[in-house]
């Protein structure tokens, strides 16, 4: 990052190569949309380049700074989208024959994705950083700019909310007979 601060384009390319995939995974979970995640990631790295001088090595790790910038951009994007109140485009449905198992797995995945999307922004961010991106609690707390205790509280509330939201899915799975393949 010190080289990037001196406007070294090759160093910036190495930084981008090293961190883009992880940032995109985080942003896909935050935005629920690959295209939005790509745009926010691009904007985040543009900010890294244009505001490189504001990074302080002695105060925060680079990844923490990057994820904080990306999180804030994703929140801003969500707010702008909500303010414009556009209707979501209809999803294109693949009408090819599918097995019941694949359809059920997709339904469960969408229920989980929707439940996560409905969480308050700070709870969703804490959950994504810790459970999906494997970030440590202290690092995730730094991204959210909260104490570790506050992060753990956010995680606890997020898990309770998910458990409540996914109760129908859990109850359905408990009442279905187990099937085993032979």
């Amino acid at each position: 990052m010190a080289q990037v601060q001196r406007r070294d384009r090759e160093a910036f390319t190495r930084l981008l190569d090293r961190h883009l995939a992880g940032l995109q995974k985080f942003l896909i979970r935050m935005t629920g949309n690959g295209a939005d995640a790509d745009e926010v990631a691009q904007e985040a790295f543009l900010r890294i380049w244009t505001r490189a001088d504001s990074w302080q090595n002695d105060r925060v790790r680079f990844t923490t700074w990057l994820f904080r910038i990306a999180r804030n951009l994703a929140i801003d994007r969500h707010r702008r989208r909500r303010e414009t109140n556009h209707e979501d485009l209809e999803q294109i449905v693949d009408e090819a024959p599918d097995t019941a198992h694949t359809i059920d797995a997709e339904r469960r995945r969408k229920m989980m994705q929707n439940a996560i999307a409905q969480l308050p922004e700070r709870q969703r961010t804490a959950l994504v950083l810790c459970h999906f991106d494997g970030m440590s609690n202290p690092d995730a707390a730094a991204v959210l700019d909260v104490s570790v205790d506050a992060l753990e509280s956010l995680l606890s509330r997020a898990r309770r909310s998910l458990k409540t939201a996914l109760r129908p899915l859990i109850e359905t799975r408990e009442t279905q007979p187990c099937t085993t393949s032979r």
Side-chain angles (χ1 to χ4, degrees):
M1 190 57 201
Q3 292 172 320
V4 172
Q5 287 177 318
R6 291 188 300 269
R7 311 318 269 166
D8 183 333
R9 291 178 187 270
E10 289 180 30
F12 181 74
T13 300
R14 288 191 305 273
L15 199 68
L16 182 69
D17 290 343
R18 184 177 301 152
H19 297 285
L20 181 60
L23 184 66
Q24 284 178 314
K25 287 179 188 177
F26 166 72
L27 288 169
I28 285 172
R29 291 185 184 104
M30 286 297 295
T31 64
N33 178 315
D36 285 345
D38 289 344
E39 287 182 25
V40 173
Q42 288 174 14
E43 194 173 341
F45 276 102
L46 180 61
R47 288 252 175 111
I48 296 298
W49 178 255
T50 60
R51 297 182 183 173
D53 290 339
S54 66
W55 179 66
Q56 299 171 352
N57 183 28
D58 57 335
R59 289 199 54 216
V60 67
R61 289 180 27 193
F62 172 75
T63 52
T64 302
W65 188 55
L66 172 64
F67 275 67
R68 185 179 293 163
I69 289 169
R71 172 187 168 265
N72 290 339
L73 290 169
I75 291 167
D76 291 346
R77 183 179 205 64
H78 176 72
R79 286 179 184 149
R80 280 192 310 270
R81 182 166 284 149
R82 194 173 54 202
E83 288 170 3
T84 57
N85 200 19
H86 286 262
E87 292 293 321
D88 289 338
L89 297 175
E90 288 185 34
Q91 291 184 358
I92 299 172
V93 177
D94 181 7
E95 296 189 15
D98 220 346
T99 65
H101 177 73
T102 303
I103 292 170
D104 188 50
E106 179 65 14
R107 181 182 64 82
R108 288 191 314 271
R109 186 190 66 75
K110 284 188 181 214
M111 281 182 74
M112 175 64 88
Q113 188 176 31
N114 288 337
I116 291 171
Q118 296 303 313
L119 290 172
E121 176 272 320
R122 290 165 53 91
Q123 290 178 27
R124 182 176 64 247
T125 302
L127 187 76
V128 168
L129 289 173
C130 293
H131 290 286
F132 294 104
D133 291 339
M135 196 174 277
S136 70
N137 284 6
D139 287 344
V143 169
L144 285 164
D145 199 23
V146 298
S147 68
V148 173
D149 287 342
L151 174 84
E152 290 171 356
S153 177
L154 288 168
L155 288 170
S156 178
R157 290 194 314 262
R159 287 185 203 113
R160 275 195 311 270
S161 295
L162 284 178
K163 186 175 180 180
T164 300
L166 297 173
R167 184 166 284 129
L169 179 64
I170 295 166
E171 290 170 353
T172 301
R173 295 206 34 109
E174 289 174 352
T175 60
Q176 291 179 349
C178 286
T179 57
T180 56
S181 309
R182 291 184 190 189

